């Protein structure tokens, strides 16, 4: 069969997509980048916020059209949206175009779903908490030649009131450290230049392991970082990690970054808000003071630290004072990179039952105010790079004389990039670039 897969949502979903594609290729199927040519179309969905759910449904309906205009014989929906509505008896009738629904625990059933001959809609929803990590012989079909995400754990034990993920991905299971290092070794040997560790909360790694182990063997994320840095110490490659949790981003993790040159001094710390009363309503176990302390500590231990965060504006009960406190916090800390979400309500979330939901127009106004403030902060930070030289991983050559790459302080898909004005550079190699220009989110330069 010829198969096309559309991967939506986060890096964890992208790993699932690559595992499903790897299994399909291993089973003798072939892949296409053009849905019109595909006999089987798979949409791996996201539902974290309502706009993501809307986008997923729009794409599913768009892909269904290829049953008339293309070669599509079967449409399969996998991932978080399917999992969220697994008990909804109208799921199949609401999307009659779909031939199979697979939950987040069913990536390993993708070949079965593709080769299924039944006419009625197939549904496979195993308990996501029972899903095993892919073993090292599981083929992955990578979607980038330059970087690859590695999941260090699956699921989440936390109870943020605005979040559905624990219901969709199950409770936290940490992956054996040696498997993480071996997979990284295999990826680097296959030509990848950057390993990006991901999870719902990378720094919560090991919390589930300790409970089980007789010896109470202390295994936390700093051990993963240190072992991985050793595994890759002879390689010219980067290690990055995303989605830390403010409560478990400990000094030992920061020290592990400081001690290992091949780990990017890049701290992605989704704080979600900075008002202690809103954080309490969100179920986030830290305070405004604790956050000021955390970012001060990171910068004291690691003077090269680059900070990224994401926040939610318009959370139920967010007063003018809460919002001003958040704005002041952002101006004080000066994040290198910042993403803003508007609160996304849904009746299956605990936060739905909170009082004083914020009017939509005010939510949008607050979103835009934060973005405007951050644009200035980002421009100022980028201007400080002018005249300095940084190592850049070359990824694209969009036009003659222009290449695009990233530095250690630019993560893929979410941050700005570095433009290099040169004629002949090799893709997927590292070069030293002297920065000559700074823009709101991007920078540019020439070979040093
Ligand atoms: S930590 Fe909170 S926001 Fe993150 S996945 Fe877990 S419940 Fe969701």
């Amino acid at each position: 069969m010829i198969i096309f897969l559309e991967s939506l949502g986060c890096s964890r979903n992208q790993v699932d997509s690559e595992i499903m594609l790897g299994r399909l290729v291993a089973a003798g199927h072939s892949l296409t980048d053009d849905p019109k040519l595909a006999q089987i179309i798979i949409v791996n969905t996201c539902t974290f916020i309502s706009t993501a759910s809307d986008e997923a449904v729009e794409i599913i309906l768009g892909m269904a059209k290829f049953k008339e205009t293309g070669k599509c014989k079967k449409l399969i929906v996998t991932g978080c949206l399917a999992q969220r509505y697994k008990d909804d008896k109208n799921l199949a009738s609401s999307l009659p175009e779909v031939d199979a629904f697979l939950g987040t625990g069913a990536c390993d059933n993708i070949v079965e779903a593709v080769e299924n001959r039944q006419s009625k809609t197939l549904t496979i929803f195993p308990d996501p908490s029972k899903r095993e990590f892919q073993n090292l012989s599981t083929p992955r079909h990578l979607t980038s030649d330059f970087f690859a995400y590695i999941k260090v754990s699956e699921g989440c034990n936390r109870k943020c009131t605005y979040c559905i993920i624990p219901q969709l991905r199950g409770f936290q299971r940490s992956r054996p450290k040696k498997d993480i290092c071996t997979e990284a070794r295999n990826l680097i040997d296959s030509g990848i230049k950057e390993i990006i560790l991901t999870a719902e909360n990378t720094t919560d790694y090991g919390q589930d392991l300790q409970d089980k182990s007789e010896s109470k063997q202390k295994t936390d994320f700093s051990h993963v970082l240190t072992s991985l840095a050793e595994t890759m110490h002879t390689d010219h490659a980067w290690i990055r990690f995303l989605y830390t949790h403010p409560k478990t981003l400990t000094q030992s993790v920061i020290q592990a970054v400081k001690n290992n040159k091949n780990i990017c001094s890049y701290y992605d710390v989704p704080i979600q808000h900075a008002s202690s009363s809103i954080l309490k309503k969100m179920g986030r176990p830290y305070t405004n003071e604790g956050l000021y302390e955390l970012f001060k500590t990171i910068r004291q231990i690691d003077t090269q630290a680059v900070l990224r965060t994401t926040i939610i504006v318009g959370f139920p009960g967010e007063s003018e004072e809460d919002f001003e406190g958040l704005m002041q916090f952002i101006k004080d800390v000066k994040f290198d990179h910042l993403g803003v979400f508007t609160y996304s309500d849904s009746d299956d979330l605990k936060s739905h039952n909170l009082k004083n939901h914020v009017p939509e127009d005010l939510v949008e106004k607050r979103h835009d105010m934060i973005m405007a403030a951050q644009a200035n902060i980002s421009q100022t930070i980028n201007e400080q790079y002018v005249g300095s030289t940084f190592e850049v991983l070359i990824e694209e050559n969009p036009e003659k004389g222009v290449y695009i790459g990233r530095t250690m302080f630019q993560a893929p898909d979410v941050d700005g990039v570095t433009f290099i004005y040169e004629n002949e550079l090799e893709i997927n190699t590292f070069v030293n670039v002297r920065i000559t220009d700074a823009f709101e989110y991007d920078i540019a330069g020439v070979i040093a």
Side-chain angles (χ1 to χ4, degrees):
M1 285 291 187
I2 302 173
I3 296 169
F4 171 86
L5 186 149
E6 179 78 40
S7 187
L8 305 175
C10 67
S11 52
R12 285 91 72 184
N13 233 21
Q14 186 164 335
V15 173
D16 290 351
S17 297
E18 293 176 354
I19 289 170
M20 289 193 276
L21 290 172
R23 287 191 178 293
L24 291 164
V25 170
H29 300 284
S30 57
L31 308 179
T32 175
D33 290 337
D34 183 349
K36 227 197 336 287
L37 305 177
Q39 294 161 306
I40 310 277
I41 294 178
I42 302 167
V43 182
N44 191 18
T45 60
C46 171
T47 186
F48 184 51
I49 50 178
S50 55
T51 46
S53 302
D54 300 345
E55 183 203 16
V57 171
E58 205 182 302
I59 288 175
I60 291 166
L61 297 176
M63 293 299 174
K65 292 205 178 73
F66 291 113
K67 285 189 168 185
E68 284 117 45
T69 61
K71 295 192 171 55
C72 183
K73 300 272 175 294
K74 185 179 287 188
L75 178 57
I76 300 176
V77 169
T78 64
C80 291
L81 185 82
Q83 186 73 30
R84 186 173 199 165
Y85 298 105
K86 69 180 176 59
D87 301 325
D88 181 335
K89 53 187 177 326
N90 304 323
L91 178 61
S93 56
S94 62
L95 287 169
E97 304 84 350
V98 175
D99 304 284
F101 293 95
L102 271 61
T104 54
C107 290
D108 303 339
N109 304 88
I110 192 65
V111 175
E112 175 195 342
V114 163
E115 297 174 357
N116 171 51
R117 296 257 167 280
Q118 282 178 37
S119 56
K120 73 179 181 56
T121 306
L122 176 72
T123 57
I124 308 178
F125 292 112
D127 174 354
S129 291
K130 297 254 177 348
R131 180 184 167 195
E132 296 291 326
F133 274 101
Q134 85 267 22
N135 63 41
L136 292 167
S137 62
T138 305
R140 253 176 84 177
H141 181 84
L142 299 179
T143 43
S144 165
D145 298 334
F146 320 116
F147 65 88
Y149 295 107
I150 292 183
K151 279 190 198 178
V152 296
S153 65
E154 184 76 74
C156 178
N157 295 346
R158 296 182 180 273
K159 296 185 172 34
C160 305
T161 59
Y162 54 86
C163 181
I164 191 84
I165 293 176
Q167 281 97 313
L168 306 181
R169 295 271 170 181
F171 52 74
Q172 176 174 308
R173 292 94 68 207
S174 298
R175 192 173 176 204
K177 193 176 62 172
K178 70 176 180 13
D179 288 1
I180 295 168
C181 293
T182 307
E183 183 173 13
R185 181 72 268 146
N186 297 345
L187 290 165
I188 296 291
D189 293 348
S190 74
I192 289 292
K193 292 287 188 302
E194 180 178 354
I195 296 291
I196 307 178
L197 303 179
T198 188
E200 269 66 45
N201 298 295
T202 48
T203 48
D204 282 1
Y205 179 91
Q207 291 186 340
D208 53 303
L209 293 177
Q210 282 155 10
D211 303 346
K212 274 200 216 108
S213 69
E214 293 317 306
S215 62
K216 295 278 178 253
Q217 160 58 36
K218 278 221 152 298
T219 305
D220 68 23
F221 190 61
S222 67
H223 298 118
V224 173
L225 286 177
T226 305
S227 300
L228 196 52
E230 276 155 21
T231 302
M232 294 165 56
H233 78 283
T234 55
D235 304 290
H236 190 173
W238 296 343
I239 298 166
R240 188 185 306 277
F241 56 101
L242 302 175
Y243 304 107
T244 68
H245 193 284
K247 275 315 267 190
T248 47
L249 179 46
T250 58
Q251 295 201 12
S252 59
V253 169
I254 304 164
Q255 203 59 52
V257 177
K258 179 106 189 304
N259 297 348
N260 295 284
K261 292 234 161 322
N262 55 358
I263 304 179
C264 302
S265 289
Y266 184 96
Y267 299 87
D268 173 33
V269 193
I271 61 171
Q272 310 303 1
H273 211 283
S275 146
S276 296
S277 66
I278 294 295
L279 289 168
K280 197 154 189 287
K281 289 191 180 93
M282 285 178 159
R284 304 285 288 179
Y286 46 84
T287 62
N288 175 273
E289 297 74 23
L291 287 175
Y292 272 109
E293 196 51 41
L294 172 64
F295 293 113
K296 199 171 97 204
T297 303
I298 294 173
R299 284 174 165 154
Q300 269 169 353
I301 297 175
D302 186 350
T303 54
Q304 304 300 309
V306 163
L307 303 178
R308 156 169 270 282
T309 195
T310 42
I311 58 173
I312 297 173
V313 289
F315 190 79
E318 185 186 65
S319 66
E320 201 51 41
E321 194 198 343
D322 292 320
F323 179 68
E324 279 160 17
L326 174 62
M327 182 66 95
Q328 192 54 51
F329 184 83
I330 287 162
K331 288 181 175 168
D332 292 345
V333 174
K334 295 185 178 50
F335 291 95
D336 301 81
H337 310 284
L338 180 142
V340 191
F341 289 99
T342 53
Y343 170 69
S344 172
D345 193 46
S346 176
D347 54 18
D348 56 2
L349 298 175
K350 257 180 151 185
S351 54
H352 175 71
N353 306 319
L354 292 170
K355 292 198 197 70
N356 306 324
H357 284 237
V358 182
E360 214 160 300
D361 57 346
L362 182 52
V363 175
E364 288 307 323
K365 185 166 159 258
R366 289 177 176 173
H367 170 274
D368 299 348
M369 287 171 69
I370 297 273
M371 288 301 283
Q374 181 58 27
N376 292 336
I377 292 168
S378 177
Q379 173 89 39
T380 310
I381 290 172
N382 283 344
E383 280 161 6
Q384 289 157 9
Y385 292 135
V386 174
S388 300
T389 295
F390 297 98
E391 185 176 62
V392 172
L393 174 58
I394 305 297
E395 295 183 319
E396 291 172 55
N397 178 204
E399 59 187 85
K400 193 164 173 11
V402 179
Y403 287 80
I404 293 178
R406 290 177 297 107
T407 63
M408 269 187 152
F409 53 81
Q410 296 168 320
D413 303 332
V414 288
D415 296 337
V417 294
T418 303
F419 295 92
I420 306 108
Y421 306 126
E422 287 296 335
N423 283 318
E424 267 145 40
L425 295 178
E426 199 186 333
I427 298 287
N428 206 17
T429 62
F430 293 105
V431 294
N432 289 327
V433 175
R434 182 169 51 74
I435 305 306
T436 54
D437 300 280
F439 311 105
E440 218 163 58
Y441 298 111
D442 304 317
I443 53 178
V446 294
I447 293 299

